[in-house]
Amino acid sequence: MDGNLILRTECAELNDPSPPVRPRLTLVIPTRNERESVPLLLRALEPAFGDLPVEVLFVDDSDDDTPATAARHAPDCRLPVRMIHREGGAREGGLAGAVLAGARHVRGEWALVMDADLQHPPEAAAAIARTALGHGVDIVVGTRYAGSGSTGDGLDGPVRRLVSRGSTLLTKAVFPHRLAGVSDPMSGLFAFRTAAIDMDRLSPLGFKVLLELLVRHPGARVAEVSYRFAPRAAGTSKASLREGLRFLRHLARLRRPAPAAHRADEGRHAVTGRRELGTTARFLAFGLVGLSGIAVNTAALWFFHTVVGLQHLLGATLATQVSSLWNWALLETLVYRGDREGGRRGAIVRGIAFLALNNLLLLGRLPLLQWLVDSGIGLLTANVLSLVVLFVARFLFSDLFIYRGRRDDGARRDPVRVLVAPGSVPPGTTEPSPSTTASPASPASPASPATTASPISPATTASPASGPAAAPSHHPKRPRYLTYRYDIAGTVTIGSQIHLPELEFFRAQWVPPDSCDITVRVGDVGRRFPRHRAVMTEIPGRGGPQPTTVQYEEQLGRLGANFRVDIGDPIDVLVSPLLARSPHVVYTNVLEALLRFVLVARGRMLLHSATVELGGTGVMLSALTDTGKTSTVLRLLSEHDGRFLSDDMTVVDATGNALCFPKPLTISAHTLHAVRSDDLTPHEWRRLQRQSRLHSKEGRSFAFTLARHNLPIMGVNAVTQILVPPPKYAVDRLVSCRLSSAVKVTELFVIERGTPRLSDLGHDETVDRLLANTEDAYGFPPFRYFAPAITVAGLDHARLRSRERDVLSGFLSGVRTRVLASDRFGWADEIPRLLDADRPAINGRPASLSDGSPWPHWMPEAPESAPSLPLRSGALPPRPVLRTDSGASRESDPGGRAP
């Protein structure tokens, strides 16, 4: 192709690859006089990106024959290659302008920006591309300052390195909040989701396009990928004193509000006609209101103590009520006028919350006040001092929770930092020596154990593991024996050092500890010392015995609720001592997500739903969390003689079978009315009433609010569960009922709150609704941070999700789905009535109420035309089943336990 053609073409195609590629990501590569580098780059891109759906887009500002060189070599590249050449008079904005020009011509969902001089290694760019396409983020940053990243030999001499590091520190100091969790905001290697970025808000100067993206989009979700900055393959650096001055000018301009950027923000507050105050301004305004409140509080204390004659602590308590109402009125009218929502009712709610906050702080202030008085300080002076001491705490709680308002709507950086670190080891671990790593050809034995990277101190050596792949290491003083073993529906086995009450039904002590599919052990995870933010580190596997590892560390160092997962065969989970003390959090937030995808890889799905058998008919209920599904199930069981299979999660297959998954039921406040048990003692009833209020929809909403802030949310959750355990009970203790092991589902009701209605739901829409409801069950952190790293049986997260959809689609092929809405929790009344009316047409014969197959019968007999589900390799043979007088059955158990 003639390079002169490019000069006359806005965006020219340089090759025609076969087979055609439909790109999901566009490599935007600015070039300026890079004729030596372009051929080398094109040759390196193809093997690095492999089968990823990407294209190459050069944006050229060259004065040499770089366009012609690219045109000559592009036909030899398998990737689609295009070029935009900008003439001398059209090179507005320099490199930054070239990036924006390229971003407006991308054909993929993502734009990945990299240099043409190979200082950004194509392998690193490919790792960023995989992270972008696999994680639910908006910006992916290539970092030289985290994980295995390094400036390497890419910066010439100590002066360049000093300037680079100094400019990074300066930038983070200027924007401490907007760049929170980003270690290399000056990077030139990054990717962004085009739909998440408003191009009209960008007008960068010089090289630092990423900085502009991050500052102008503070709510964008960010992940980082560490890489080693390489030396230039050819050509010369474009860095100069002029570019340095341009950077400082750019930094100063970013500190000033950009009109285009802030018009959108102002539009968000058009209701009040005023733009909200910044954090500093709110702090100062809050302080002025606080000063007036101190005066009011002091005057009220003088009145109650001196005039009325009350004891000084009682007077301080009453004075707090007066000053709290005063402060609330001023905050509503002066400080947070742009954040007021909900009208009069919202104001009352905020007033109650503010009053409760001040009374909570009063519990800590009264002892301080008494101590100051006992120290000889006058009462009024001591009162002022105690109020000043708690001022900052009062501001933070008020600003973050009571008056968070619209400032939370997408304008807060994600509290968990996501780092993908190829070739690294988790923080606080030691690198195992090659001689101590197990290989697939020779699995480790107890006599000669293998080792793997261990989340312990650097002074401690890696610990032994057993099994066909390296298991997570542990402190040498801790045993490795898996005390509790579980067999989930004959499909997945789990071994754990922690008792898991949710899986008690599946206890199977006959499962050999060394043949479990998932193991859970206790040990030290992460580095010893605290950190500023929680970090989720993903270390991609390198094949063979090196599995992909994800490690979650919270702000409290090893005292936090940390965990590590080695996603190999088996999947090995290591949880911190704090997390181990809350088995519910371990199971719900970590283990169930892994179980979900292992089941999918073996042809089954863990579906967020409830299943009962009513009159021989398999009935499934689906709903968003906290709708009223549990109370409906309890009423169906107690009032309509139903049989129970599951309440929260159901194991289903592609032939329409639902297998029981009888986790203990969590009783929230709105479910209490459905409990019909004479077995609960008065003490248990009182405790249940307290527990159900904390573990309710309101408690869950409050937890999600906390999760949006930079707090050790897993630790908070774990401590809460330790202090106030969730109210979990076996279903047959709450209501009198019998259990069923499996059923063919023919009826599905999607229950909703709202105006009463009944409507049919199509197959495709049902699949989408049930997948959305299932995903809603995993909404609490840190699932969305580590789920993209999960790979089972060679299936990555995207393919596992696709297979999950296929299994669900097959399951629903013979199921009638209806949406049933109620405004009075009346689903348990309507569903039996609908079944009685439709049963002859649906089943074609009267319903059978026989006991059916012996218990538990995991594999329902499928029709001859339906292929049996594949069992995992190495599955245990069927165990003997013993029939009981009640019609149920129990399996013989050498350990004395029965499911």
Side-chain angles (χ1 to χ4, degrees), residues 174 301 325 451 464-465 467 524 790:
V174 173
L301 175 59
L325 293 174
T451 59
D524 295 327
I790 296 177

Side-chain angles (χ1 to χ4, degrees), residues 10 33 201 239 257 264 396 399 435 487 505 601 605 669 731 749 763 767 773 813 836 852:
E10 181 183 358
N33 302 332
R201 300 176 67 178
L396 290 176
D399 195 64
S435 61
D487 186 346
F505 178 85
M605 177 187 178
V731 64
F749 292 93
H763 178 273
V767 171
N773 288 352
S813 60
D836 289 340

Side-chain angles (χ1 to χ4, degrees), residues 51-402:
D51 296 329
L52 289 175
V54 303
E55 66 168 349
V56 179
L57 175 59
F58 290 108
V59 184
D60 184 64
D61 289 350
S62 298
D63 297 319
D64 62 6
D65 61 347
T66 297
T69 303
R72 286 196 305 271
H73 290 84
D76 298 328
C77 183
R78 182 188 57 82
L79 304 177
V81 181
R82 296 185 294 153
M83 175 173 279
I84 300 173
H85 178 77
R86 303 198 304 172
E87 294 288 0
R91 296 172 185 171
E92 182 181 357
L95 181 141
V99 170
L100 295 184
R104 289 187 170 91
H105 287 82
V106 300
R107 293 188 296 202
E109 306 162 24
W110 283 82
L112 192 157
V113 181
M114 64 180 296
D115 291 347
D117 56 14
L118 294 176
Q119 287 199 286
H120 299 151
E123 295 77 14
I128 289 177
R130 293 187 182 93
T131 302
L133 297 176
H135 289 64
V137 295
D138 303 313
I139 300 174
V140 182
V141 179
T143 178
R144 299 161 292 178
Y145 301 121
S148 54
S150 168
T151 57
D153 300 323
L155 296 177
D156 301 329
V159 175
R160 283 282 309 278
R161 287 192 287 271
L162 180 62
V163 170
S164 175
R165 192 60 171 162
S167 60
T168 298
L169 294 176
L170 173 63
T171 303
K172 290 178 67 65
V174 173
F175 300 102
H177 299 295
R178 292 176 182 253
L179 300 181
V182 181
S183 61
D184 195 357
M186 312 292 287
S187 176
L189 177 61
F190 60 92
F192 60 91
R193 190 191 305 271
T194 55
I197 301 300
D198 184 359
M199 297 295 180
D200 295 333
R201 300 176 67 178
L202 305 178
S203 56
L205 296 174
F207 295 171
K208 308 308 175 187
V209 184
L210 174 62
L211 176 60
E212 178 107 1
L213 285 178
L214 294 170
V215 171
R216 298 299 188 206
H217 298 83
R221 297 163 296 174
V222 179
E224 293 188 302
V225 177
S226 59
Y227 78 102
R228 184 179 179 86
F229 198 46
R232 291 180 62 88
T236 59
S237 173
K238 309 301 187 298
S240 64
L241 178 60
R242 180 180 178 182
E243 287 296 334
L245 295 175
R246 181 181 291 183
F247 159 69
L248 294 176
R249 187 156 53 101
H250 186 202
L251 204 61
R253 186 167 60 83
L254 284 175
R255 283 302 303 173
R256 298 192 301 269
H262 285 265
R263 275 196 296 268
D265 292 338
E266 291 173 0
R268 284 167 37 193
H269 305 282
V271 175
T272 62
R274 295 182 174 92
R275 186 159 51 90
E276 69 172 39
L277 299 173
T279 302
T280 303
R282 291 197 306 273
F283 182 82
L284 293 176
F286 195 96
L288 293 176
V289 171
L291 285 176
S292 68
I294 289 176
V296 171
N297 186 286
T298 303
L301 175 59
W302 174 85
F303 174 80
F304 289 124
H305 178 65
T306 304
V307 178
V308 180
L310 297 178
Q311 196 266 350
H312 63 278
L313 293 183
L314 178 58
T317 301
L318 295 177
T320 296
Q321 315 311 311
V322 175
S323 62
S324 295
L325 293 174
W326 170 271
N327 287 346
W328 166 73
L330 293 183
L331 291 175
E332 284 283 318
T333 55
L334 298 178
V335 181
Y336 293 102
R337 52 190 173 180
D339 286 331
R340 294 180 297 176
E341 295 179 333
R344 179 178 300 177
R345 180 178 180 182
I348 294 175
V349 170
R350 290 190 295 272
I352 294 174
F354 189 73
L355 197 63
L357 169 64
N358 281 281
N359 280 277
L360 182 63
L361 294 176
L362 180 66
L363 297 178
R365 190 169 72 85
L366 289 179
L368 176 62
L369 176 63
Q370 184 64 51
W371 179 79
L372 292 173
V373 171
D374 292 342
S375 301
I377 300 176
L379 175 60
L380 299 184
T381 303
N383 184 63
V384 171
L385 291 176
S386 65
L387 289 170
V388 171
V389 167
L390 295 179
F391 165 75
V392 174
R394 186 179 292 108
F395 167 74
L396 290 176
F397 274 89
S398 299
D399 195 64
L400 290 178
F401 302 116
I402 299 176

